Amino acid sequence: MRRVSAKTILVTGGAGFLGSHLCERLLEQGHEVICLDNCFTGNKKNIYHLMDNPKFEFMRHDVTFPLYVEVDEIYNLACPASPIHYQLDPVQTTKTSVHGAINMLGLAKRVKAKIFQASTSEVYGDPTIHPQPEGYWGNVNPIGLRSCYDEGKRCAETLFYDYSRQHGLQIKVARIFNTYGPRMHPFDGRVISNFIIQALRGEPITVYGDGSQSRSFCYVDDLIEVMIRIMESGDEFTGPVNIGNPGEYTILEIAEKVVQLTKSSSPIQFRDLPQDDPKQRCPDINLAREQFQWEPQVDLHKGLSSTISYFEKLLSEEKI
């Protein structure tokens, strides 16, 4: 493990899937961590194992309201990230991305903290370039069902760069592609969590469209590693930078792989494709490779096996 100077670090959305793994890694590095979450999609169960650590503090707070704490760094991860959750209250989703960014940037400006924005591959919309490089400006429907998230995250990026230019803030912006692993929300409507839960329960595997649309999937440990490398990098590099696994699979291939690994008898059931669902989504990660000497290490078979074990345990404990 790299030796780093201990800091006080704020993680918004810290009780969520990615946030809880990030808090865990930062504590392992010896930092003091303030985990902030309103628990709309985050869950305190994800951080129960951290509660006894004297360097860990949990705060129930909504980032759309100002926050006054003293910190050295901020990771801004707060926002529902799956369609089923961010479409539940689209106005609040936009507020979380935009007002949340304004409040966290204001905090960073006041305490002179370095700040990381967890942006998303959704800023590329339904891409016309494949794979997607950082210089691609995207193909986003500004008034569609997904736009509360897509445009909210695009606006947050705008705010980060304007605060950097106008106030000299130290910023880092990463565009996160599909990520999976233990502590995913079991009912977040995402491909891998959906397929695993359905397969373990013997229910039909629901594939939208004909299953030919493609995605890439990055295991959570790989993603957290590069997030921390980005934050630790020098001030001259701000991003945006794509982070994800460039291995590309069709949705149907993922469904078949999950059925195989779970030894399930679940049939595959096809349904209509949702509005504005991207046909292709895959990161060009050459910039991350060059800047951080980073390459995803966990292959799909190993990552899926670990994620299936997590959901099997949840089901056996009747927690879902």
Side-chain angles (χ1 to χ4, degrees), residues 113-165:
K114 184 187 292 188
I115 182 168
F116 176 102
Q117 168 65 6
S119 191
T120 173
S121 59
E122 298 293 338
V123 301
Y124 299 123
D126 187 2
T128 57
I129 294 177
H130 189 77
Q132 293 82 62
E134 290 85 356
Y136 176 52
W137 290 357
N139 178 38
V140 177
N141 177 358
I143 58 170
L145 294 175
R146 301 170 70 101
S147 59
C148 58
Y149 184 70
D150 302 1
E151 296 288 32
K153 288 288 191 176
R154 286 164 68 94
C155 184
E157 285 195 16
T158 300
L159 286 162
F160 265 68
Y161 281 93
D162 283 339
Y163 264 79
S164 175
R165 288 185 284 257

Side-chain angles (χ1 to χ4, degrees), residues 90-308:
V91 172
Q92 184 62 26
T93 295
T94 304
K95 285 182 178 180
T96 300
S97 287
V98 178
H99 291 185
I102 291 170
N103 286 330
M104 291 305 107
L105 287 162
L107 173 61
K109 178 186 172 188
R110 182 179 69 81
V111 300
K112 297 181 173 56
K114 184 187 292 188
I115 182 168
F116 176 102
Q117 168 65 6
S119 191
T120 173
S121 59
E122 298 293 338
V123 301
Y124 299 123
D126 187 2
T128 57
I129 294 177
H130 189 77
Q132 293 82 62
E134 290 85 356
Y136 176 52
W137 290 357
N139 178 38
V140 177
N141 177 358
I143 58 170
L145 294 175
R146 301 170 70 101
S147 59
C148 58
Y149 184 70
D150 302 1
E151 296 288 32
K153 288 288 191 176
R154 286 164 68 94
C155 184
E157 285 195 16
T158 300
L159 286 162
F160 265 68
Y161 281 93
D162 283 339
Y163 264 79
S164 175
R165 288 185 284 257
Q166 189 170 336
H167 301 296
L169 252 62
Q170 297 174 269
I171 66 164
K172 304 288 179 181
V173 176
R175 293 172 177 165
I176 299 172
F177 282 68
N178 287 341
T179 308
Y180 71 101
R183 298 185 210 145
M184 291 184 81
H185 194 294
F187 304 114
D188 62 5
R190 297 191 192 199
V191 169
I192 286 181
S193 53
N194 259 14
F195 288 176
I196 292 174
I197 293 294
Q198 289 169 339
L200 291 175
R201 288 178 162 174
E203 299 170 352
I205 306 291
T206 52
V207 170
Y208 294 94
D210 61 5
S212 64
Q213 63 271 38
S214 67
R215 296 291 186 272
S216 65
F217 298 93
C218 185
Y219 190 66
V220 61
D221 290 355
D222 285 331
L223 194 89
I224 298 302
E225 172 64 26
V226 73
M227 284 173 62
I228 290 173
R229 290 192 193 187
I230 293 167
M231 192 61 136
E232 291 177 353
S233 64
D235 297 344
E236 66 280 356
F237 183 84
T238 62
V241 57
N242 291 335
I243 53 177
N245 192 318
E248 190 175 1
Y249 300 87
T250 68
I251 298 301
L252 187 56
E253 285 176 325
I254 297 296
E256 291 169 344
K257 185 75 171 174
V258 168
V259 169
Q260 174 197 346
L261 289 174
T262 56
K263 299 180 174 60
S264 175
S265 57
S266 292
I268 293 176
Q269 188 177 85
F270 296 91
R271 295 186 181 178
D272 292 339
L273 198 64
Q275 181 189 28
D276 299 328
D277 191 63
K279 290 178 282 297
Q280 293 178 306
R281 183 62 62 68
C282 182
D284 179 331
I285 64 165
N286 283 324
L287 184 59
R289 288 186 178 116
E290 293 166 6
Q291 288 288 329
F292 311 111
Q293 294 73 56
W294 174 79
E295 189 85 35
Q297 300 299 308
V298 180
D299 64 29
L300 187 68
H301 183 95
K302 182 178 178 182
L304 281 178
S305 297
S306 174
T307 309
I308 288 167

Side-chain angles (χ1 to χ4, degrees), residues 44-97:
K44 286 179 69 176
K45 292 177 182 177
N46 290 334
I47 53 171
Y48 276 163
H49 65 296
L50 305 177
M51 291 294 197
D52 290 335
N53 190 320
K55 292 189 174 183
F56 180 78
E57 178 182 356
F58 172 72
M59 295 179 64
R60 187 183 290 266
H61 183 86
D62 189 321
V63 294
T64 61
F65 297 95
L67 178 72
Y68 302 96
V69 291
E70 302 297 321
V71 294
D72 302 303
E73 292 181 353
I74 302 166
Y75 285 84
N76 186 37
L77 277 62
C79 191
S82 67
I84 196 170
H85 288 145
Y86 66 63
Q87 291 173 6
L88 188 64
D89 189 344
V91 172
Q92 184 62 26
T93 295
T94 304
K95 285 182 178 180
T96 300
S97 287

